[in-house]
Amino acid sequence: MKKVIVGMSTCGLSAGSQKTYDRLGELLAANPGAFELKSAGCIGMCYREPLVEIRENDTRIVYGAVTPELAEKIFNEHVGGGRVLEEHVALRIEPGRELGGSEAPHQKNQVRIVLRNCGLIDPESLAEYEAAGGYRALRKALLEMKPDEIVKVVKDSGLRGRGGAGFPTGLKWSFAAAQKSDVKYVVCNADEGDPGAFMDRSVLEGDPHSVIEGMIVCGKAIGAHAGYVYCRAEYPMAIRRLTIALEAAREKGHLGTNILGSGFDFDIKIKQGAGAFVCGEETALFQSIEGKRGMPRIRPPFPAEKGLWQKPTNNNNVETYANVPWILMNGAAAYAAYGTEKSRGTKVFALAGKVKNGGLAEVPMGIPINDLVFKIGGGIKEGRAFKAVQMGGPSGGCIPASLGHTPVDFESIPATGAIMGSGGMVVMDDQTCMVEMARFFLDFTQNESCGKCTFCRVGTLRMLEILTRITQGEGRIEDIENLKTLGAQIKDASLCGLGQTAPNPVLTTIKYFGEEYEAHIKDKRCPAASCTALVDFCIDAETCTGCTVCAKNCPVNAITGERKKTHVIDTSICAKCGKCITVCTFGAVYKK
Amino acid sequence: MENVKIKINGREIEAAPDKTILEVVREHELDAIPTLCYSQELEPYASCFLCVVEVKGRANLVPACATRVAPGMEVTTRNDRIIESRRTALELLVSNHYADCISPCMEGCPAHVDAQGYIALSAMGLYRQAVDLIRETNPLPAICGRVCVRKCEVVCRRADVDKPVGINAIKRFVTDQPGVYDGTPACEPPTGKTIAIVGAGPAGLTAAWFLGRQGHKPVMYEAMARSGGMLRYGIPVYRLPDEVIDREVEYICRAGGEIRYNVRVGHDVALDELMKKYDAVFLGPGAWAGNPMKVEGEFDTDGVVQGADFLPEQAEKPTPLKGTVVVVGGGNSAMDVARTSWRLGADKVIILYRRTKDEMPADRMEIEDCLAEGIEIMELAAPVGILKDNGKLKALRCIRMKLGEPDGSGRRRPIPLEGSEFDLPCHMAVSAIGQATRLEGLTKSPDAAIGLTKWNTFVIDPETLTTNVRGVFAGGDAADDGPTVIIDAIADGQRAARAIDAYVKGSGRRPRPFIVKKEFWAKPGKAELGEVKESPRHEVHQISVEARRGSFAEVATGFEFEDNTHECNRCLSCGCLRYDTCYLRIYAEEYGIDMNRFKGHVRKHKVDDRHPHVVYDPNKCILCSRCIRTCARVLPISALGLVGRGFRTEMRPALNDPLVETSCVSCGNCVDSCPTGALTVKYPFPGRASLETDDEPTHCAYCSLACSVTVKKFGDGRYYIAPSGIPGDYLCRYGRFGNELFIKRKRITAPEIRRGSEIQTGDLCEAQQLIVFGMKRVASKYGAGKVGVFVSPELTNEELYLASRIAREGLGTSNIASLSILGTGTEAGALDESLGFTASTADRSCVDGADLIICNNTAMESDHLILAIRVIQAVRAGAKLIVSNSTLDPTDQILSTLAMDPMRGRAAILWNGVIQVLLDEGYFSTAAVKKIAGAANFLKSRDFKLDTVAALSGVDASAIGKAAALIKGARRIVIIHSPDRVQDQAPGDMETLANLVVLLRAAGAGAELVLPRMNANSAALEIMGADPAFGPGRTPNPEGVVGARSREELRALLASGGIKGALIIGEDPLAWGQTGSWFQNVEFIAAMDWTDTETTRYADVVLPGSTYLETAGTRCNFEGALVEYSKTVEPPSGSSGDEVLRGLAREFGLTTIDDTTAEIETIVRKKLGDLARFYWNTGEERFAPAAKRLVPTGAVAHTGSIHPPLTHGERYKREIREVGTGRFRVRR
């Protein structure tokens, strides 16, 4: 029987997959036994959601942008008639054949280790996870391996923390394992807070058991019996699926006392975060779990020594744990075969911004940024010019298109002034103002600073004030130097990663796009024509048809012109609201 | 752990591995690292980032306060990068510090006179201190108090509400008070340097004052016959009487200055000569020439005179006038000339002014006084010619003016109206349109001429007042921008003295004082002031206009007392109370920060002053969290926390409630932790300012913990209490704020004697004699066994000792005790059998190392917060806590492992049950137990069955089992029990706990019994002889002494109404029904107290007592340590309690009472041993005899405790709780 699988992660649901699913449900009700209806997590092609897969034997045909109407058509023609609607096929996966479908060129360069099950299995079904090879690593770790052997495999795999800092995971585990304490903790950081990043959410929504399995293995490796998943409350679906997965695992005996008869006890609790970005910083995260205000403290002592409730703690992020079962089953060498010498394995990226194919991509470490943007991301929307990528969210930095050849790994990216980060990659085109972009991220970090350190609390605001001033055309010559000095001082004298990296977007944009700052300050001009205070709205005489729509819609009556003749905007009246651009159907209004 | 070797600034240092870089640097005094968030008694926090240092190999700077040393570490504590980072941190902090370091009035005054400070002192009634404070910046307070132009009032924030505070009138008021000109000002030792001062006017006098106080010898050369310069010769005496100037000058000269009159420098003595003879010269000759009207004939017409000549002449020798006088000008001098002319008899006085009244530079008040005195002001007219008759003035030809565009001064320019000339007939015309200098002979020096401006004034450096000639300084009207006002001359004199002092000593410039003011961002509006009620401004009183005609009597008579109080209360106290001790300001000054660098958005908050004791100004908070962390250390539930994120982060009380509505216990420790002025205490009297205090250490006498305190005194009777300043020393609300009742409550300041139905104040000696007579009369009537002496357990050892001897030797009775202790039923000597003495077995430090703490009948947090802090710390470090109490403080609820609530009076049963369980389980091995005397008996008669105990005590058997299990699991146990607390008192409870201690020790566990007492000196009552059984030093009653032989007997005697005469010291038994009934049949009561009570109201004779701050002496704290108390505050009656009692003893015929100290020393040494502690010194451990052991049967009912007669401690405690929050509530 054919299986019809609907992508029901947050990305799918926001694209309307619930309606599609419901329509299919109605069809199934009307035609009992016609097919099997299932849901799955995100397969990564968020830009083509809602996705509907028709699976028969080993052949999987994934349709993109499936509306309820299209769903009905697919049911009628493909499910019922066996006729594939080729024009709607996003992906065709058949054993022994090359990847097909419209998205094949973007998908074929990916290597799916973390996302191995995402979009393929029903995340709410333990059976499907197990059918896909799940919990075999746990069995192996608990029944066949000693803790130090587990640590060794993880060390040998070269896996580095996927939260951003890239600390070798095996080494971290060995520190916690070396601590002598009755009580230790395994913490999973699922407080994914970077704007534009959704890797962890997708894993938790699409394959929660892989994270649970990784955590239990870690517990065995370091000698912990309790784990916490610290997940932001803004991820209700992730929390729901994780909760279901935990219950199922507990019921099956994968969690709790004497797991798989090994004599090893381990259980996991979920702690919901209340939306403070800084709680992604591990010491603040521990405080938050303890019920206190999430504020970082100085390290050392490191968590391996004194972490949660002053006990030895191992903290990794979602993606890191999700890698662990695969490594245990496939061996350290298999994992290490991917990536570069110092950055092994794969990395999941969330492509966002002006890129055509926004979504998740898992690629081997070391591929060039250009490949991510063009080969996988499909290039820039509307065919505009690629300007830069912002990596690592507000803590990260900006890498210009001229450095597009930079390999994505833990050595090359920091060399540019940016950071690897957790995998958020915001792509910018030539219409993005880099000063405004830096201002946006700094505004975010300023609002999310915990307020503890002077430099982070007050310094970031002062930088923000300077940037705001620049974007409003009130910049002063000395501002760039002031931003650099203050930025360096903030990095220098802040307690945690938030403050230490907050100036990065500003410093890297000054480094690579200094002339754009100067244009704002000296020429009172925004080269990207983005900063409202510095642009004028104009009507192109060639394109304008004199349809009068713009003049009618202008709230301040700044547009004049006779019917069928070129219209003109009086810039002294214009309030720069942008309404004219929106309403002009000929694209005659532009900013300069 | 082994020490680590590190390098700091290139120096090899060996340090303990758990030390932070900051600690090591401080310990070895390697550098002064600044920090705001670090506190020695708190865990490292690292938020302010001032303490950053460089560690080799680390990319970032690290906070020294939180970075622990590691082997091989190389640290640099100071270089450009570090200093820049620290400076930036300070600039960022200050960029969001919307506050006034000093008040606008102080800032606005050219001489920076601390107006807020002297207003505060004046409000406190400390006039001498107020005047001395003014003299720190201005030695002419009485003069300024009369004639200053009051730049301070112009900027007064009060103007936003109604009108400025009458600052100047307050100044005059304080200088008018008696005694403020007494004595000699404090001066530095003589330096041998001499300074010549040209002119004894305001600038010269001021310079002389400060130079004299700095130890130099100033010599003023005065051209006139009298001192004061323009003060005397330019201001008429009806405004500034000569006596005021004389008084001021005389006081200034007491600082070492000398005036040589009638010597004109440049004429009688050359400037060169002064320069040779003196170490420095200050030129303050003033501006004595008038400006001409620029009208033809003004210099050769009889009747046309210069104001600058007229006023000095009239000051020398007043000459009567007649006819019409026209005064040209609109300044204060013009007003002075006009009003003087009017007083001298002129028929008509006209002031001619070319603009209108609104543009007049004269004081509003002066103009109004002119008008009141009938002087005409002719506006918009100016003289253009003189009409004369025989060389004698006939009329002034004038022209009308109109006002044009504003000129450089901002006032509208007068423009003559052509053809509007008119003649103004007059007999005299005085030109009063400004003054000019006459500097003949003052501009030449041997090397060079002294530089002059185009206005013929000296060119000076505005900061140091130096001229172009080395060693010559100039100021006042003759320098820089020419004639100004007195306060500018004073400011010049002050700055010149500072510069001259530096010059003659060869020292460098001091850093510019750093201050923040709200105006840096924007002028604050009314909204920021919060709730300020409008209150009309009081003006100085004046004599009537009728009384002024023909008289030069002073017009303004100043303020009455009520006016002063009223105006002082109108002061908004804008300046920061922590000006001198604010570390943000101090570091900002040290690092020379630039406020403009990060000028931007600033957060503005209202000040929260709703708490009865603490004021929180969030504008000044730098988010170091020291208060939050201190609060969390003191309380298990923090009353303070952080809210918001980013720049909007704020320190706020829990859930953003007002502090007064949180779990705050008003201990005030947050205030001490604040490095800025964000948290300050309210003084218990009016006035708020940053003022110097005299600090005296003593101890608190609110409970038996006897914490060290510092009495911070502003002056007579005005003080507040702060902790000792030793890191880790905290105070509770009683220790810190309890003294407020001494100020707020009515005091007994003189003996009171009842005569018939009337109470009269009397003489101390008479009152003492009446007491002797009264008591002896009753004793002879009923026998000495029917009189008694009752003493408060708060009294000093000295007072208790004297009372004991008065009872035994003066009255022949052994009836002496504390009614409080009789009332609470605390069994004196209850542990004598068990422990050897009835007291704590260890000092408070035993709590620190405990692994199990048992609190029985102890409201730790409410009654002994400072001990509770130790318990909280111990529990946080891992100790278990068992609580047995009917009410649970938050501490108990949150921290206890086991909380039990035995039925009232059954605690002994409960603990005997626990002992039983431990015996049954074999924890106390029989062999060990048997070693202890009395054990066999105990073992034989034990019948504490678990279910019986559970039923009788009301505590579940499982809880009893759990208590036993916890005890078994512990190695170091501390039992805390409050003997005086009645709520959960039970017969035999202390003995049972003592038995437990003895058994635990026998079983090899460490165990201590700590007995915190409610009253300061409860522990010393017996040893000082305040007990029927023993005299001082636990000596037996002497032969012939009759009365009760034990406290039980005395209580029975009291209960039967057997006491007929009573001397009650510091207790108030009549306030309570039961104890009150004991005194129903009494025929004579004498009482002694510091405040009026029910008892003093009924007493036949009342002696004035004193508070613990007013009596020097010793007390024994709950640990048995002898604690010294000093007399830090003068008793209002003039005598301390011990002095009064000594006098009484003398009246009773006692001798050898003069040196009680030695006697008490002997008693204490003998009994307390070398360590001055009297616990656990028998070396023998015994059980209480079987007879004293309480066997639980259902029939044994608790005898109940009566309400204690209030000692003061408890009375204040209640009242302080009422004024504080008194909530102690827990949020669930």
Side-chain angles (χ1 to χ4, degrees), chain A residues 215-518:
Chain A
M215 286 177 72
I216 309 170
V217 170
C218 175
K220 165 80 179 180
I222 69 166
H225 302 286
Y228 282 89
V229 178
Y230 185 85
C231 186
R232 58 203 316 243
E234 293 93 324
Y235 282 179
M237 173 160 295
I239 290 165
R240 197 172 67 83
R241 295 214 171 128
L242 190 62
T243 308
I244 292 168
L246 286 173
E247 272 165 23
R250 226 170 264 134
E251 206 166 297
K252 192 78 192 282
H254 295 338
L255 273 177
T257 49
N258 193 17
I259 299 171
L260 302 174
S262 66
F264 179 69
D265 305 338
F266 194 83
D267 209 337
I268 295 174
K269 282 184 190 159
I270 301 173
K271 170 79 189 179
Q272 296 192 32
F277 180 68
V278 76
C279 287
E281 198 281 343
E282 59 186 3
T283 57
L285 186 152
F286 298 152
Q287 297 248 313
S288 183
I289 293 179
E290 290 172 24
K292 298 173 188 153
R293 176 183 165 95
M295 287 176 89
R297 61 152 174 83
I298 197 163
R299 294 175 300 184
F302 289 97
E305 194 190 328
K306 280 184 178 176
L308 186 58
W309 280 304
Q310 303 291 305
K311 300 293 179 195
T313 303
N314 182 73
N315 173 44
N316 285 121
N317 88 326
V318 170
E319 189 182 335
T320 314
Y321 285 123
N323 270 307
V324 169
W326 192 95
I327 293 170
L328 246 60
M329 286 321 296
N330 295 280
Y335 190 80
Y338 295 106
T340 65
E341 194 196 334
K342 285 185 174 166
S343 302
R344 303 282 186 187
T346 60
K347 175 80 193 88
V348 182
F349 287 96
L351 289 172
K354 298 292 174 69
V355 69
K356 270 187 193 154
N357 303 341
L360 282 190
E362 185 173 358
V363 292
M365 286 274 192
I367 80 161
I369 292 171
N370 279 337
D371 283 7
L372 263 168
V373 175
F374 291 99
K375 285 192 182 159
I376 291 168
I380 308 298
K381 278 183 188 166
E382 297 168 20
R384 300 203 74 99
F386 170 42
K387 187 170 186 179
V389 288
Q390 170 75 17
M391 282 194 66
S395 312
C398 176
I399 301 172
S402 60
L403 295 178
H405 57 272
T406 308
V408 176
D409 61 51
F410 286 112
E411 278 66 47
S412 312
I413 296 296
T416 67
I419 62 165
M420 267 293 277
S422 58
M425 187 174 264
V426 182
V427 180
M428 284 160 278
D429 67 7
D430 56 357
Q431 283 181 318
T432 314
C433 170
M434 302 314 277
V435 184
E436 172 56 30
M437 198 277 304
R439 204 197 68 80
F440 169 82
F441 280 114
L442 200 65
D443 188 38
F444 179 87
T445 32
Q446 156 58 217
N447 280 316
E448 290 296 340
S449 162
C450 77
K452 183 175 179 178
C453 303
T454 303
F455 281 94
C456 180
R457 180 181 72 246
V458 192
T460 53
L461 179 86
R462 298 296 172 230
M463 284 183 79
L464 182 64
E465 284 174 343
I466 296 175
L467 289 170
T468 307
R469 175 161 94 207
I470 293 175
T471 58
Q472 287 170 350
E474 287 155 18
R476 304 167 197 157
I477 292 298
E478 70 273 17
D479 279 349
I480 297 179
E481 213 39 53
N482 277 344
L483 284 173
K484 282 200 222 165
T485 318
L486 184 54
Q489 282 177 331
I490 294 170
K491 283 170 74 98
D492 214 6
S494 294
L495 200 58
C496 81
L498 193 151
Q500 284 168 6
T501 59
N504 280 353
V506 184
L507 297 178
T508 49
T509 47
I510 291 179
K511 184 175 172 188
Y512 296 118
F513 299 95
E515 72 288 348
E516 228 173 294
Y517 281 80
E518 284 175 17

Side-chain angles (χ1 to χ4, degrees), chain A residues 541-561:
Chain A
E542 302 273 297
T543 328
C544 180
T545 62
C547 70
T548 76
V549 169
C550 57
K552 279 179 192 154
N553 279 284
C554 178
V556 292
N557 295 324
I559 306 178
T560 51

Side-chain angles (χ1 to χ4, degrees), chain B residues 82-381:
Chain B
I82 293 165
I83 287 176
E84 267 314 309
S85 181
R86 288 177 188 167
R87 184 179 297 137
T88 304
L90 287 164
E91 284 167 342
L92 290 171
L93 287 173
V94 173
S95 76
N96 187 32
H97 197 76
Y98 184 68
D100 290 311
C101 287
I102 58 174
S103 55
C105 48
M106 183 176 177
E107 159 79 359
C109 173
H112 302 308
V113 176
D114 184 359
Q116 181 183 342
Y118 71 73
I119 292 173
L121 290 166
S122 178
M124 296 176 202
L126 301 171
Y127 307 121
R128 174 68 202 229
Q129 284 85 344
V131 176
D132 283 341
L133 179 64
I134 303 171
R135 288 183 181 130
E136 289 300 311
T137 42
N138 172 2
L140 306 171
I143 294 172
C144 283
R146 285 166 171 80
V147 296
C148 188
V149 295
R150 306 182 304 248
K151 295 186 180 188
C152 49
E153 294 185 19
V154 176
V155 292
C156 177
R157 293 255 155 82
R158 180 92 207 182
D160 291 335
V161 180
D162 37 44
K163 286 199 167 145
V165 175
I167 300 174
N168 213 37
I170 295 169
K171 178 156 60 213
R172 170 170 174 179
F173 178 82
V174 294
T175 60
D176 284 346
Q177 300 309 308
V180 297
Y181 284 86
D182 291 351
T184 312
C187 298
E188 302 280 313
T191 60
K193 305 284 183 190
T194 58
I195 321 291
I197 294 172
V198 178
L205 286 166
T206 306
W209 162 255
F210 289 110
L211 290 166
R213 291 191 59 197
Q214 282 149 356
H216 312 305
K217 172 73 189 171
V219 179
M220 288 167 270
Y221 289 85
E222 173 54 56
M224 304 297 279
R226 290 191 288 165
S227 59
M230 273 295 168
L231 296 173
R232 193 184 301 269
Y233 292 100
I235 300 173
V237 290
Y238 63 85
R239 284 220 287 146
L240 181 56
D242 280 341
E243 315 83 77
V244 175
I245 303 173
D246 294 339
R247 192 170 61 184
E248 213 100 287
V249 172
E250 204 250 322
Y251 193 79
I252 287 172
C253 290
R254 267 183 247 164
E258 179 195 331
I259 308 181
R260 297 192 184 157
Y261 291 105
N262 297 312
V263 187
R264 181 180 289 276
V265 177
H267 186 267
D268 303 322
V269 55
L271 181 59
D272 294 6
E273 216 171 295
L274 298 186
M275 289 173 67
K276 265 181 244 152
K277 204 167 145 195
Y278 292 91
D279 294 294
V281 178
F282 174 71
L283 302 173
W288 286 67
N291 279 336
M293 292 186 279
K294 291 175 187 159
V295 171
E296 203 185 318
E298 71 177 296
F299 298 113
D300 52 9
T301 306
D302 188 10
V304 179
V305 290
Q306 293 293 325
D309 298 329
F310 176 83
L311 288 169
E313 279 162 19
Q314 296 306 326
E316 285 283 82
K317 190 166 174 282
T319 338
L321 292 178
K322 267 188 190 166
T324 303
V325 176
V326 176
V327 185
V328 181
N332 276 340
S333 284
M335 307 301 133
D336 287 344
V337 170
R339 295 179 70 189
T340 302
S341 306
W342 180 73
R343 279 173 173 73
L344 289 169
D347 299 308
K348 189 172 184 184
V349 184
I350 301 168
I351 293 172
L352 199 66
Y353 185 54
R354 54 191 187 143
R355 293 183 172 98
T356 70
K357 276 201 280 290
D358 292 341
E359 284 84 26
M360 277 188 172
D363 249 28
R364 286 300 101 185
M365 245 173 88
E366 287 291 302
I367 299 170
E368 277 157 31
D369 282 343
C370 276
L371 294 171
E373 288 166 12
I375 291 160
E376 190 185 321
I377 296 179
M378 191 176 280
E379 297 177 326
L380 294 166

